[in-house]
Amino acid sequence: MKYMLLIYHDEPSWDAITEAERQQVYLEFRKLRAELSERGQFITGSQLQPISTATSVRVRDGKELVTDGPFAETHEQLGGYFLIEAANLDEATAIAARIPSARTGTVEVRPLVETAAEATA
Amino acid sequence: MAYIEQVFREEYGRIIATLIRVSGSFDLAEEALQEAFVVAVSKWELEGSPDNPGAWLTTVAHRKLLDALRRDRTRTDKQAELTYESSRLQPYVEPELFEDVVEYSDDRLRLIFTCCHPSLTREAQVALTLRTLGGLTTTEIAHAFLVPEATLAQRLVRAKQKIRLAGIPYEIPSLDRIADRLLAVRAVIYLIFNEGYTASAGQSLIRNDLCAEAIRLGRVLCELLPDEPENLGLLALMLLQDSRREARVNEQGELVTLEEQDRSLWNAAEIEEGVNLVQKALRLRRVGSYQLQAAIAAVHAEARAADQTDWRQIVALYEELMRITSSPIVALNHAAAVAMADGCEKGLALIDAIGAGGALQNYYLFHASRADLLRRLHRHDEAVAAYETALSLTTNHVEQKYIRRRLAQRAPPNVL
């Protein structure tokens, strides 16, 4: 099965850490990514630019509305994602638990819709 | 009919667990088993019941399942929807070994862990466990938990859908996770028991069916994982609490406290089994909270009269329990035991210290326990005030009646 791991974190605290700490976290990310790639479980993934760069698009009554950022003021922001292949939810959550941001933020694990049957379920 | 119902209860969990493994679908397994029971009702009536009803039902249900799978396969290629991915579950294969189906291993352990998977809400875990492992109907579960049937049905549908779509595995967790997962399994079973033992609202304090079902599930867990002392502790605790069922509420439907209970009404068989289980669990030398609670219940059970209770031992067991749980409710019970062992003043001092922490201000038993000690110390006005606070905090009719009875005692006898 394919799972999307959506990484939410608190941007201000991420910005507040030292450069050395940041490099340590990046190192952990690279290690996890390499390990998953080796096992054929890494599909894609990336860090995202901060929420201040976000733009929302809505089409209402045929009219395109482009605005700054998402409206909702939430405590944690989407900061990156992994798309992985895992045998089941337990394997996916075990991988999610190894993402460094899981220690300070939240990793949301979502299965992808993979078959036509599921899409209509 | 009564016999079939009994077989149904006893065999449901085991058969459905196997059918789920074979089909990868909770719904298909349920339908197949339902059909098999319908066949059993008409056939057993006419021809008498088979020697091994469980094996008979498994075989018929399995055949029904194969029929359904074949029908489905010929209709469309919906196999992917019906079965778990091959990596998660053995893919369905046309069984040449059809007759061997009765030899199928016990799959209930997988079923328990899937039903109690942490990615499901506790409510969904409870409903799914009772529905699949216990074979209770949606109506029965809805009644037991006082929720509308439609709500419960919806809860079950969502849970089964999540299992399928999110890929919750149908397997026994890996060694590094099994301890954590077992905590959830035991919590679900004990929650079912407690819901039955002390209905959180409503007229009847005890809903026996839920207690019996929780004990049955506890037995299954011990049968499957007998070397896990906390499993034994949980079963022992439930048996020992259940042994007091008849004595716990009087003919007027009022709550009777442990010290006032008629001990001749206690269930001796359950006490004996419970005490033996506690001893067996403690010999495994991995103490845990269920074992300690069961040990406390065992000390009570072994006292022939309330004034023969070994309160010192109970205090010691609560102290052990406080070391591993740090729950204010445990501290409250400890204080009540200290009051019995060392006098009401010492107990009250401990209770007031807990109260200063603030955690139990809205807990009716905190005020009721405090009131009981104040009453024994002849501090009547304070006792009345505490009883009134307790009364305002419980919605259970039986508990309310108990407190009103206490309040009505103008010159309360000093019981001890």
Side-chain angles (χ1 to χ4, degrees), chain A residues 1 3 87-90 94 111, chain B residues 88 117 119 165-167 169 177 181:
Chain A
M1 284 182 79
Y3 291 91
N88 57 43
L89 185 60
D90 280 357
Chain B
R88 275 174 290 132
H117 196 275
S119 74
L165 295 181
R177 289 184 173 202
R181 295 287 168 87

Side-chain angles (χ1 to χ4, degrees), chain B residues 259-279:
Chain B
E259 55 174 292
E260 292 172 325
Q261 285 174 18
D262 174 357
R263 297 188 177 214
S264 69
L265 295 174
W266 287 2
N267 183 324
E270 284 189 318
I271 289 175
E272 194 192 340
E273 191 186 353
V275 169
N276 285 338
L277 278 165
V278 175
Q279 287 167 347

Side-chain angles (χ1 to χ4, degrees), chain A residues 11 13 19 41-42 97 101-102 109 111:
Chain A
E11 272 186 14
S13 6
E19 188 55 30
Q41 291 185 284
F42 181 81
S101 325
V109 179

Side-chain angles (χ1 to χ4, degrees), chain B residues 69-79 81-82:
Chain B
L69 285 169
R70 279 198 208 99
R71 271 201 308 275
D72 236 274
R73 195 183 307 169
T74 48
R75 205 187 308 145
T76 52
D77 190 22
K78 285 176 92 181
Q79 193 64 11
E81 186 194 18
L82 297 173

Side-chain angles (χ1 to χ4, degrees), chain B residues 241-273:
Chain B
Q241 286 184 320
D242 196 60
S243 74
R244 304 199 286 257
R245 187 173 56 194
E246 293 299 320
R248 200 162 160 262
V249 181
N250 67 15
E251 282 157 4
Q252 287 78 48
E254 293 165 341
L255 192 69
V256 184
T257 59
L258 195 53
E259 55 174 292
E260 292 172 325
Q261 285 174 18
D262 174 357
R263 297 188 177 214
S264 69
L265 295 174
W266 287 2
N267 183 324
E270 284 189 318
I271 289 175
E272 194 192 340
E273 191 186 353

